Amino acid sequence: MTLADERIERLHALAADAASTGHDDRAREYVRLARRVAERNRRSLPRRLKRFSCDACDAYLRPGRNCRVRTQDGHVVITCVCGAQARYPYR
Ligand SMILES: [Zn+2]
């Protein structure tokens, strides 16, 4: 675990925390920062953060609040309130 990974994890936790208390804009900032740290250090985002953030608007996604989750043809389809969809194979 590198220092960058630790920073990413901390930003992830902050994003989750902000989102859970309704501070969506702040959560988005943390998601952006986490992505930036990951890019700059060539680290990949933790799987959970990757799945629960919107590629289009950087929102930290919370099912039932700002995104819908459906399963379709062996995939999980996550639709953000901004309209962007992400599909992941279902495990
Ligand atoms: Zn979005």
Side-chain angles (χ1 to χ4, degrees), residues 4-39:
D5 289 325
E6 278 172 30
R7 286 193 63 203
I8 292 164
E9 280 300 343
R10 191 164 313 142
L11 289 164
H12 182 184
L14 287 166
D17 207 54
S20 72
T21 50
H23 297 100
D24 290 344
D25 289 340
R26 200 181 303 164
R28 187 173 281 132
E29 286 306 313
Y30 289 133
V31 169
R32 278 190 191 132
L33 279 170
R35 287 219 175 116
R36 204 169 304 155
V37 173
E39 258 168 43

Side-chain angles (χ1 to χ4, degrees), residues 11-83:
L11 289 164
H12 182 184
L14 287 166
D17 207 54
S20 72
T21 50
H23 297 100
D24 290 344
D25 289 340
R26 200 181 303 164
R28 187 173 281 132
E29 286 306 313
Y30 289 133
V31 169
R32 278 190 191 132
L33 279 170
R35 287 219 175 116
R36 204 169 304 155
V37 173
E39 258 168 43
R40 202 176 291 156
N41 296 277
R42 296 205 192 85
R43 310 299 299 172
S44 54
L45 286 180
R47 221 167 95 108
R48 231 160 51 84
L49 180 55
K50 209 169 188 167
R51 302 246 163 143
F52 289 100
S53 58
C54 175
D55 277 341
C57 72
D58 294 325
Y60 189 82
L61 300 174
R62 299 180 61 221
R65 251 194 91 239
N66 60 0
C67 72
R68 282 185 309 134
V69 180
R70 295 282 181 277
T71 54
Q72 186 188 5
D73 303 329
H75 284 76
V76 179
V77 182
I78 299 179
T79 309
C80 176
V81 284
C82 79

